[in-house]
């Protein structure tokens, strides 16, 4: 099961992929995964092959698009965020912030002190 | 044979039946695994160890193929919904054509009672009924087709395959017109009272099933690899 610091990532992978594409710009699958791992300081634990079905799903939904990179030494698909994807990312970020704020309230002041 | 080669062979087997999506997945997996192995070798690992690590991190071929099938499965559902919606619109339009044919037939022939027509056998009433039914069916078909077009345009519903709509439309209209000529004017009360025995309902339902099956079988993305 994909996890980040022990938290199940299912349901959040799409958000992370969209955010990565927003930050790094057009990128192929390996670069997207490498960026996710680097930005999480190695804590991002995900079977890398699961990223591609997620990318295909996001493309099917019109949130990203892709094309073959003609300059790459091997066949390589490059993905980038669409306008609809940027809008969806903004909406999901707000949802996530609301969720995190709610969790913070539920976990209480002790959790704030313990984890900073 | 290297570990990456073995992995790709197994993934190829697991992706069987996924068409262009499977080929694309295989190409992306190969690029990913070779890039990961090359980076690991560059950082000092042996080639064998680098390939082993790359394959291990990627996940099992069965898992990747299963997730890829699931990712494209929803697309098939979308296409099936789109095809069903289209066929429903075309069916009602075809029914409208059948009513027009039936009305014309009634206008040309002397009144006669059939198992479908009720007691009065009053010619003018049947013609009026057929014409009004034609208007209702054609309006319903138009609304369905228009709403589907809007759903495709604005709500992400999958468009029809090239040739699918025209072929289905021709088939359904021909079926409906044939039924009208054969003396089965699809009066609305017959559709309700004798369902599911009404011949036109059975014919249109069978046609829809066949067309949806064809749509599903043809639903793989036709994305040709350059």
């Amino acid at each position: 099961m994909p996890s980040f610091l022990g938290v199940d990532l299912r349901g959040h992978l799409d958000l992370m992929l969209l955010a990565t594409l927003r930050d790094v710009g057009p990128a192929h699958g390996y670069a997207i995964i490498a960026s996710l791992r680097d930005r999480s300081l190695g804590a991002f634990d995900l079977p890398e092959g699961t990223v591609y079905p997620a990318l295909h799903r996001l493309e099917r939904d019109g949130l990203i698009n892709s094309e073959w990179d003609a300059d790459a030494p091997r066949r390589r698909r490059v993905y980038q965020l669409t306008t609809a994807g940027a809008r969806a990312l903004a909406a999901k970020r707000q949802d996530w912030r609301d969720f995190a704020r709610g969790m913070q309230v539920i976990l209480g002041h002790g959790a704030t002190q313990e984890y900073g | 044979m290297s570990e990456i080669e073995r992995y790709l062979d197994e993934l190829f087997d697991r992706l069987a039946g996924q068409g262009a999506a499977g080929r694309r997945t295989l190409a992306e997996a190969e690029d990913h695994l070779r890039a990961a192995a090359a980076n690991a070798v560059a950082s000092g690992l042996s080639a064998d160890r680098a390939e082993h690590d790359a394959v291990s991190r990627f996940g099992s071929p069965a898992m990747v193929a299963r997730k890829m099938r699931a990712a494209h499965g929803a697309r098939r559902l979308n296409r099936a919904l789109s095809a069903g919606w289209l066929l429903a619109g075309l069916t009602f339009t075809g029914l409208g054509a059948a009513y027009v044919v039936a009305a014309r037939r009634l206008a040309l022939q002397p009144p006669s009672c059939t198992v479908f027509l009720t007691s009065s056998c009053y010619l003018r009433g049947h013609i009026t009924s057929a014409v009004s039914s034609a208007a209702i069916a054609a309006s319903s078909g138009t609304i369905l087709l228009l709403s589907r077009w809007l759903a495709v345009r604005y709500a992400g519903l999958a468009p029809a395959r090239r040739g699918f709509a025209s072929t289905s439309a021709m088939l359904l209209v021909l079926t409906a017109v044939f039924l009208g000529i054969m003396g089965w004017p699809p009066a609305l009360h017959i559709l309700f009272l004798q369902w599911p025995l009404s011949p036109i309902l059975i014919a249109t339902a069978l046609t829809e099933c066949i067309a949806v099956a064809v749509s599903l079988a043809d639903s793989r993305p036709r994305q040709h690899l350059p």
Side-chain angles (χ1 to χ4, degrees):
Chain A
M1 178 186 301
S3 66
F4 176 66
L5 298 176
V7 176
D8 184 3
L9 284 179
R10 286 175 299 185
H12 307 304
L13 180 58
D14 291 0
L15 176 61
M16 289 187 288
L17 291 174
L18 292 175
T20 302
L21 283 171
R22 177 204 57 196
D23 294 343
V24 304
H28 53 87
Y30 182 74
I32 294 169
I33 295 165
S35 175
L36 271 175
R37 185 174 291 113
D38 289 346
R39 285 150 44 130
S40 70
L41 303 176
F44 185 80
D45 177 21
L46 181 75
E48 296 168 355
T50 60
V51 166
Y52 292 94
L55 289 170
H56 286 213
R57 193 175 58 247
L58 289 170
E59 184 172 8
R60 179 202 67 199
D61 294 340
L63 302 180
I64 62 175
N65 57 29
S66 71
E67 60 183 1
W68 293 106
D69 181 0
D71 300 328
R74 288 182 296 272
R75 300 178 59 74
R76 173 171 284 179
R77 198 84 182 170
V78 174
Y79 296 88
Q80 65 178 354
L81 200 63
T82 63
T83 307
R87 280 199 301 266
L89 174 61
K92 286 187 173 210
R93 280 182 70 198
Q94 188 57 49
D95 290 346
W96 178 258
R97 283 174 176 160
D98 293 344
F99 170 76
R101 195 177 301 119
M103 285 298 292
Q104 190 73 19
V105 171
I106 292 170
L107 292 175
H109 185 63
T112 307
Q113 287 183 326
E114 185 176 353
Y115 297 108
Chain B
M1 181 184 290
S2 74
E3 193 160 352
I4 288 179
E5 295 288 344
R6 279 198 299 274
Y7 183 93
L8 292 173
D9 285 349
E10 186 178 347
L11 183 60
F12 176 75
D13 288 342
R14 299 277 185 179
L15 290 169
Q18 296 197 43
R23 276 202 300 150
R24 173 176 158 183
T25 303
L26 195 67
E28 290 186 297
E30 178 166 13
D31 174 59
H32 181 106
L33 293 171
R34 296 202 186 285
N39 282 351
V41 167
S43 66
L45 284 184
S46 69
D48 288 346
R49 178 72 189 181
E51 290 206 358
H52 177 76
D53 288 353
V55 165
S56 298
R57 283 201 306 272
F58 202 75
S60 75
M63 181 271 296
V64 174
R66 187 177 67 250
K67 285 185 176 293
M68 195 56 77
R69 188 171 286 109
H72 290 275
R75 184 187 181 91
R76 280 196 288 274
L77 189 64
N78 189 346
R79 287 201 175 281
L81 175 65
S82 176
W85 197 333
L86 174 65
L87 286 168
L90 291 174
T91 300
F92 274 93
T93 307
L95 281 174
Y99 282 122
V100 169
V101 173
R104 178 178 166 77
R105 177 175 168 275
L106 287 171
L108 294 176
Q109 292 181 1
S112 60
C113 293
T114 72
V115 292
F116 298 114
L117 301 179
T118 48
S119 58
S120 68
C121 295
Y122 183 56
L123 180 61
R124 184 180 299 275
H126 294 317
I127 294 175
T128 304
S129 171
V131 170
S132 61
S133 298
I136 292 171
S139 306
S140 303
T142 303
I143 290 170
L144 281 168
L145 292 174
L146 183 62
S147 60
R148 181 186 170 279
W149 179 81
L150 290 171
V152 169
R153 181 72 178 81
Y154 298 107
L157 189 70
R161 289 290 176 210
R162 189 180 303 168
F164 176 73
S166 55
T167 305
S168 303
M170 192 168 58
L171 188 65
L172 283 165
V173 170
L174 284 178
T175 304
V177 170
F178 173 74
L179 291 172
I181 291 173
M182 291 300 289
W184 293 333
L188 285 176
H189 67 280
I190 298 303
L191 294 182
F192 288 110
L193 290 177
Q194 298 205 357
W195 190 89
L197 299 177
S198 172
I200 193 165
L201 267 189
I202 295 172
T204 49
L206 282 175
T207 308
E208 284 207 20
C209 289
I210 293 168
V212 169
V214 169
S215 170
L216 282 172
D218 192 36
S219 64
R220 293 173 198 146
R222 288 178 180 171
Q223 186 172 0
H224 299 293
L225 305 178

